[in-house]
Amino acid sequence: MKKLKSINNLDFSYNVENIKVQEKTPLIIFDYGVSEDSITKLHCHNTFEIGICRKGNGIFIIGNKIYSYKQGDVVVISKDIYHRAHANNANDDLWTFCYLLLEDWIPIDENYSFDLVLNKFENYEISIFIKLLFQEILKSKQEYDNNIISSLLYTTYLYLKKKNDYENISNNHVNLILDLRIKKAIELMANMESLSISQIANECCLSESYFRQLFNKQIGISPKEYQTKLKIKKAMSLLLYSNDKILKIALDSGFDSLSNFNRSFKKIVGKSPYLWKKEQLQNI
């Protein structure tokens, strides 16, 4: 096995000052409670990221995708992809994250990039190998068996590649560098601020027409579609994991009326919020 490189000078947006990086084993693993504060900054770093949600629920923005997450879900994010998590309740939210330089552990294909939040039941093989990986890292008390970790990582990686191939996912994120104005627009939307597309364009110092064109080119959908999708994803998470009335959830998710929320929800999800929640709870 090749000699592993040290990564003492990692550049993270997260606070990792108290995380000790091992010279012979380039990884960092730690527990982290996701904040429910407004999302003020999407971030990326130069490492591969794997996480397991130990408890809680919320939304995870990764690249141009918006996921809802819950206990047991896993997240896999390649380096240089902008992302940020937002908890519905910070007092009841906990993740275990692992950062590592994947290329120092296993042979990787540069054509593959991952930006996924995976349900443990729908992606059983991937979830179980990530769980085994974390168990191996945590039980070894920093005296890692590098061969076992490499084997678990490689198996997980092969399953992720298989998933990408099966779903024919486009892998253009690896070299994605967001225009700073579009990044600011996403931050404004992620904060759930009640801003019109015209106001967001103005905040980004762009004409509305050019803003729409640039946003669509970089993100792949219109700013209005992205904004609505973000609101609906937050609403779906609140519908499942809070006891609030649907009207309150609609307003908390950024909609100006219940009728507008119901109409948008049915258009995107295919059924009313009430019926969707009822069906989901029956399957839990």
Side-chain angles (χ1 to χ4, degrees):
M1 182 176 180
K2 68 177 181 179
K3 184 177 179 181
L4 299 173
K5 295 183 291 186
S6 171
I7 52 170
N8 287 304
N9 297 318
L10 290 174
D11 182 19
F12 294 136
S13 295
Y14 289 132
N15 179 6
V16 293
E17 294 173 356
N18 296 321
I19 305 297
K20 183 178 288 187
V21 181
Q22 297 298 299
E23 290 288 336
K24 295 182 179 180
T25 308
L27 60 81
I28 295 176
I29 189 166
F30 61 99
D31 291 338
Y32 188 85
V34 173
S35 171
E36 62 179 319
D37 294 339
S38 294
I39 300 173
T40 57
K41 185 178 181 182
L42 298 175
H43 69 274
C44 65
H45 37 73
N46 64 332
T47 62
F48 197 80
E49 176 176 340
I50 308 172
I52 298 177
C53 180
R54 300 299 187 185
K55 63 176 182 177
N57 51 80
I59 59 174
F60 220 123
I61 302 172
I62 312 176
N64 63 356
K65 300 177 182 178
I66 306 165
Y67 298 93
S68 59
Y69 72 81
K70 60 184 180 301
Q71 182 176 339
D73 288 351
V74 299
V75 62
V76 182
I77 308 173
S78 292
K79 63 183 181 179
D80 299 328
I81 295 179
Y82 286 99
H83 59 279
R84 175 67 191 263
H86 174 87
N88 287 330
N89 182 352
N91 294 323
D92 190 35
D93 197 282
L94 182 65
W95 284 76
T96 299
F97 286 109
C98 181
Y99 293 153
L100 62 145
L101 294 176
L102 193 60
E103 61 271 23
D104 282 354
W105 290 93
I106 61 175
I108 63 173
D109 186 337
E110 294 294 337
N111 293 320
Y112 282 87
S113 178
F114 305 105
D115 50 1
L116 304 166
V117 174
L118 304 172
N119 179 279
K120 65 178 180 180
F121 298 112
E122 297 174 358
N123 302 273
Y124 178 76
E125 294 89 352
I126 296 174
S127 296
I128 196 65
F129 279 111
I130 290 177
K131 184 177 180 180
L132 289 171
L133 172 67
F134 278 31
Q135 287 177 347
E136 179 63 32
I137 294 171
L138 292 171
K139 78 178 183 182
S140 56
K141 297 180 180 179
Q142 299 183 347
E143 295 179 0
Y144 309 120
D145 187 320
N146 292 344
N147 290 318
I148 293 178
I149 292 175
S150 295
S151 297
L152 289 169
L153 273 172
Y154 192 54
T155 304
T156 302
Y157 177 74
L158 291 177
Y159 270 106
L160 288 168
K161 285 180 64 178
K162 181 180 178 181
K163 180 178 179 63
N164 264 16
D165 290 339
Y166 179 75
E167 297 183 359
N168 195 25
I169 295 175
S170 174
N171 295 291
N172 295 323
H173 298 297
V174 65
N175 296 317
L176 175 62
I177 301 177
L178 286 180
D179 185 292
L180 292 178
R181 297 164 295 184
I182 299 304
K183 181 171 177 288
K184 181 177 181 179
I186 291 175
E187 291 169 5
L188 290 171
M189 294 179 189
N191 284 335
M192 302 297 170
E193 296 187 24
S194 299
L195 297 176
S196 67
I197 300 303
S198 177
Q199 289 173 315
I200 295 173
N202 186 59
E203 289 287 332
C204 298
C205 302
L206 294 169
S207 68
E208 183 176 348
S209 60
Y210 183 66
F211 168 67
R212 290 178 183 276
Q213 178 184 349
L214 183 61
F215 192 99
N216 205 319
K217 180 179 180 181
Q218 290 227 320
I219 305 301
I221 57 177
S222 74
K224 187 64 176 179
E225 287 177 293
Y226 186 94
Q227 189 179 49
T228 302
K229 184 178 179 183
L230 178 57
K231 292 177 181 179
I232 293 296
K233 283 291 186 178
K234 179 174 176 60
M236 291 170 75
S237 183
L238 292 175
L239 282 167
L240 285 181
Y241 305 113
S242 78
N243 295 318
D244 292 338
K245 300 288 186 181
I246 292 181
L247 175 59
K248 185 177 187 305
I249 290 174
L251 297 176
D252 287 346
S253 301
F255 290 91
D256 56 8
S257 69
L258 181 58
S259 61
N260 187 21
F261 170 61
N262 286 333
R263 183 168 56 253
S264 297
F265 193 99
K266 188 170 184 179
K267 180 179 180 181
I268 291 175
V269 182
K271 55 195 68 175
S272 72
Y274 174 79
L275 181 58
W276 180 84
K277 178 177 181 178
K278 183 179 179 180
E279 291 180 353
Q280 294 300 311
L281 291 178
Q282 288 175 345
N283 295 326
I284 292 179

